[in-house]
Amino acid sequence: MDLSDYIRTIPDFPKPGILFYDISTLLRHPDAWQVTMGRLANVVRAYQPDILAGIESRGFLLTAPLALKLGCGFVMLRKRGKLPGETIAHDYELEYGTDRIEIQCDAIEPGQRVVLLDDLLATGGTMAAAIALLRKVGADVRAAAALIELISLKGRERLDLPFTALVQYEG
């Protein structure tokens, strides 16, 4: 099954010049969704994770059911101020400014094997920041994966660990 057949593209969203890859069309198709979860499970299982970390917010849609399928825990990496309790943050540079990603202080035990997931890898800035944050809290980050990779943006080059995407577009 070609998963790209189930991913809708929407031009000029959220602003002119951006081509948005809409995974909601894949999520609502039960066969494509099952195949997606099966393929991700095969990729991620190889790294023997204890826990999966998902990047806000569409990354949660992939990570939570995958963690359940693999018998792993699931932790959320969120934007500033979205997690209750004590958090640890990592600030990172964007093309125009900075952003912050956070994790709850007790979400990862030092040495836990973690695989990081998101829906899409573009420039790699957020994923690289998430890897740095996970390492900051003592995680053994084994790999990262995404449903979609925009290969022309070369985000994979910013990652210092194995990365897999199920679908690739030029960008």
Side-chain angles (χ1 to χ4, degrees):
M1 175 182 286
D2 184 349
L3 296 177
S4 66
D5 291 342
Y6 300 92
I7 298 169
R8 174 174 51 190
T9 55
I10 301 175
D12 299 321
F13 183 83
K15 60 184 183 178
I18 302 292
L19 181 61
F20 185 80
Y21 294 90
D22 181 13
I23 67 168
S24 67
T25 48
L26 182 143
L27 297 173
R28 70 178 173 232
H29 191 281
D31 292 338
W33 185 222
Q34 283 284 359
V35 168
T36 300
M37 286 293 100
R39 289 179 185 172
L40 279 173
N42 288 338
V43 167
V44 170
R45 186 181 290 116
Y47 297 100
Q48 301 177 326
D50 299 310
I51 198 157
L52 303 183
I55 298 174
E56 182 173 326
S57 68
R58 287 184 305 270
F60 298 167
L61 298 172
L62 298 171
T63 312
L66 185 60
L68 185 62
K69 183 176 186 73
L70 294 176
C72 297
F74 163 58
V75 298
M76 297 177 284
L77 304 180
R78 300 208 62 188
K79 295 180 181 179
R80 179 191 319 254
K82 299 287 187 174
L83 290 170
E86 191 176 346
T87 61
I88 295 176
H90 181 77
D91 293 318
Y92 62 103
E93 297 293 321
L94 296 171
E95 192 172 339
Y96 302 104
T98 62
D99 209 348
R100 173 176 283 190
I101 192 166
E102 298 179 341
I103 189 170
Q104 291 172 316
C105 288
D106 60 354
I108 302 282
E109 294 178 23
Q112 275 191 304
R113 296 180 306 265
V114 177
V115 174
L116 176 65
L117 291 111
D118 203 357
D119 69 315
L120 184 138
L121 177 71
T123 63
T126 301
M127 191 167 279
I131 292 164
L133 176 60
L134 289 165
R135 288 177 176 155
K136 187 186 287 190
V137 298
D140 175 7
V141 188
R142 298 282 178 98
L147 173 56
I148 300 168
E149 177 184 13
L150 304 181
I151 56 176
S152 64
L153 299 179
K154 301 181 181 183
R156 158 187 310 253
E157 292 177 10
R158 295 183 71 176
L159 310 179
D160 63 354
L161 45 65
F163 172 79
T164 302
L166 299 185
V167 177
Q168 293 180 321
Y169 295 100
E170 276 302 312

